[in-house]
Amino acid sequence: MERDNKPLFVVITYTGNRDLAGTDATVKLQLFDDRNNSTPPIDLSHTFVDDFERGKIDTFKLRGQDTAQLSRTSKITELELRIENCGVLSDWYVDKVEVQNLETNETFLFPVFRWIRKGVVYRIQHLDTSLPQGQPKPVGDARKAELRVTRSLYELDQKLPAQFPGGPCQVKKVPQEEHFQLEEMLTIGKQAIKLKKTADYTKALKLDIKCLDDIKKIYSGDFNIPERASFWRSDEYFAMQRVAGLNHSIIELVTSIPSKFPVTDDLLQPFLEGLTLAQALEKKRLFMCDLHLMDGLLLKENRKLCAPIALFFLNTKNTLRPVAIQLNQRPGIDNPIFTPGCPTWTWTLVKMWFNHADALYHQALTHLGFTHLLMEGFSLATHRQLSVSHPVFKILAPHFLYLHAINSLALSELLDDGGWVDKTTSYGNTGMYQLVERGFQQWSVEQHGLLHNDLRRRGVDDPEVLPNYPYRDDATLLYDAISEYVNSYIDLYYKDNETLQADYEVQHWVKELAEERNFSEGGIGILGLPVKGSLTSLDQLKDIVVCIIYTCSVGHAATNFIQYDEYGFPPNYPLTLNKHMLKDFVATEADVVKALPDIVSIMDSLTITKILSTKSTKSLGYFEVQFIYDPKAIAIVNSFRKRLEEISEIIDKRNIERHPSYNYLDPKYIPNAISI
């Protein structure tokens, strides 16, 4: 008997709350059940109603005649979406679709999180989480077709100037789905306007800075005096900046003194608590920061920059202190080694020159290069080679939120000719690009991207060797939590190494990551991936996924949200210094003041670093877009969140004893992604 027209199924569509998400096109839906039955294509529409508007939930009761091919007890396993008869707003961004069986009172969930584009058929499975191999042919074909469109949108490009071809790979044009949402742009814009107004007022005062105390005159409104302004000259704090500052991963254990840094027992005798250099080395009490990558960089006209080496000694109180600084790489009579025994203001200026170089290393590499630009390459390969249905895509996607948008904004506004970098730093944008290229030629996933490997490489993994290392101690907790999360998640979808080897999407993904840069044919050129040609073991895949999530969240937070605290007091972390580097003369406080940049540059730096130090998105583990709907995977996410709450409590307790506190890696303050 022919089914009456009483609705048996209800379809609920969730249009995304993002710019241009709605559509005025005709939406066609087809349902497939667990018994290989399907409906014909059904028009989803209401008479005289604007369906599919941005952020809108639309409910459609399907007529009985439209679902006659389905059983009253059908379980909906797949659906197909397409758009036709497009108008002005053609593409449609869908968060999810729910299908309710009114007879059985079951709801079948289809996470979409895609732009439904004209000319492409989208075949979505229940819960939409699957590996590509073994899929029914219609699903597999739709998946491949969708990826072909995505690759055309996420084109590879080399954004660095042509003279630096070894730099990072970026997207040629930021796709619509990667744009900042209007609300996010307004939030950033309002803060920027407010800060700029205050900065312009301060610039107009034309303050006369005659002594260091006069610098405090620049602070008003949202520009607070950083805590570090009270102890920035301290040797103990200068050493602390290497283990809990902007450049937290440069310091390394010294096993032998390099010939380019000819310190002697006579020179260091007053600072090693009676030990000789040989004894201090044997007891693992010496540590070094060597900024050799700064050597010979292109600089702005009439500006100076050094490539310093600093030696630190761990005393019997387990306090790290600087004992020697050489401002350039090649020893000689015109490149003396300075020690704390130098006149007070001379030693202060030497430390400022070191921090000047450290600041520019931080801006180009630790922050921009090794988080923003590096992760853009991983994001590109992920979007180009992994379907939205792929479980690896789902665990990674929240950590790429706004990455392409913020990178495009940074390169066009901050790194453009005459932009912030050009005006306020000694190397300008050309020198920064050059340093980025140098860094990319030596950064490796295995050596630098896996935290435990990096700590071992630098000889600072053992708390008995370097007891007070806040970045290491907090980052290790988070890295291990991310590893546990990723391991459990990957094991949920891959039963063995053979399953991984048969996954052609993830194999194409790692191939594009590893291949030498080729912007027309694909090839990101990431060095040191733990693979040889293809993924053969689950451990390899887990390492790469952990590296990405850790870098986009913890790694970026550690180097970004501390910026105003360090740069906010100009003598502490100067982005440019005016006087020539020291040779042999006794400096005064007046020399320190004269070395500082002008008020305009200072206020520009305070404005940018204040904006960059502001967290505006959700905390690690709590995602703006929840791609994961598989109940077993959700349980893994919830366990991850619980562990992060425990880590937050541990870090809170640690910070009671820390002076200054180090809360940048408290999970409450770590965003999921590089979105600022």
Side-chain angles (χ1 to χ4, degrees), residues 90-121:
S90 56
D91 295 347
W92 176 38
Y93 189 88
V94 187
D95 281 347
K96 60 184 178 180
V97 175
E98 293 177 0
V99 181
Q100 297 176 354
N101 184 322
L102 299 179
E103 182 75 19
T104 64
N105 201 31
E106 290 180 285
T107 298
F108 306 96
L109 179 61
F110 298 85
V112 182
F113 298 110
R114 295 165 169 85
W115 286 95
I116 306 303
R117 304 181 191 281
K118 181 181 179 181
V120 183
V121 176

Side-chain angles (χ1 to χ4, degrees), residues 2 18 97 107 112 171 184 221 238 375 436 476 519 525-526 551 571 619:
E2 183 177 337
R18 56 170 63 203
V97 175
T107 298
V112 182
V171 69
E184 186 72 17
F238 180 78
M375 287 300 111
V436 167
T476 299
F519 306 116
I526 301 295
T551 305
S619 298

Side-chain angles (χ1 to χ4, degrees), residues 442-453:
Q442 59 91 41
W443 190 93
S444 156
V445 171
E446 287 191 299
Q447 290 188 39
H448 304 90
L450 306 180
L451 179 63
H452 291 295
N453 288 359

